[in-house]
Amino acid sequence: MRRDQLLLATSAAAIAGFAALARSVARRNTREHDHRLRDAIVDNQGRVDRALAKAVGPLGKEWLHAPVALSIALVLWRRGAGRQATLPLIASVSAELVNRLCEGTLHIRKPPPGKRERHKPSFPSGHALETAAMALTSSYVLAREGVVPVGRSAAAAVALAAASGGGRVYLDRHWVSDA
């Protein structure tokens, strides 16, 4: 299987997984699990962990990931990556658009009590969605172009995505299944 086919297959699997999760959330199949995990997390919080969770909050914001994506694209372009250089920027913009589309259409449950904007849906977590899209795409392109070793690149991408989504759950802004 060629790389392009592998990427398309991975994208199709991610879309199918998202659709299955959205359906499960809409049917309230995740409710008991989400509430149990939320209670355990809220009951065991400390000041340092809350501070760390707040510190990673900007990871999922477009004002941070868009300039980072542009910087990565410029580095890749200067290294001769051609049109592949634009992929992190495309991922950043696409993730923001998908997040806005989801916010406008997927009102499938109430957010947890810690979310200040009660009118905004909690599923999916825009922070987790945008960070994962940007980090995983950038990781792939940086590794493919030989800028960063594959293992380090993948580990950094997974860590960033987990920190962003985990921080939102920890701060009681999202249910576990949102992130």
Side-chain angles (χ1 to χ4, degrees), residues 2 11 16 42 72 81 93 129:
R2 290 186 9 225
S11 297
V42 170
I72 292 170
V93 172
L129 184 150

Side-chain angles (χ1 to χ4, degrees), residues 1-14 140 144:
M1 189 179 277
R2 290 186 9 225
R3 280 189 210 168
D4 294 344
Q5 291 172 325
L6 180 61
L7 277 179
L8 287 174
T10 303
S11 297
Y140 172 78
R144 187 169 126 181

Side-chain angles (χ1 to χ4, degrees), residues 56-76:
V56 298
L59 289 174
K61 294 293 190 179
E62 67 280 354
W63 51 261
L64 178 63
H65 65 73
V68 170
L70 179 60
S71 299
I72 292 170
L74 289 172
V75 166
L76 290 168

Side-chain angles (χ1 to χ4, degrees), residues 32-53:
E32 184 179 324
H33 188 67
D34 280 331
H35 282 271
R36 195 173 344 106
L37 285 170
R38 179 196 173 268
D39 291 345
I41 291 168
V42 170
D43 290 346
N44 294 300
Q45 287 187 352
R47 281 193 313 199
V48 173
D49 345 353
R50 277 190 74 73
L52 286 171

Side-chain angles (χ1 to χ4, degrees), residues 20 35 41-42 46 51 69-70 76 84 95 112 115 119 133-134 146 171 173:
H35 282 271
I41 291 168
V42 170
L70 179 60
L76 290 168
Q84 301 299 318
K115 188 161 180 140
H119 65 282
M134 172 41 195
L171 294 173
R173 306 293 199 285

Side-chain angles (χ1 to χ4, degrees), residues 103-126:
E103 278 187 0
T105 59
L106 291 180
H107 295 271
I108 55 180
R109 70 164 161 204
K110 291 182 180 181
K115 188 161 180 140
R116 290 183 200 104
E117 305 93 3
R118 303 296 295 162
H119 65 282
K120 289 180 101 177
S122 66
F123 181 85
S125 165

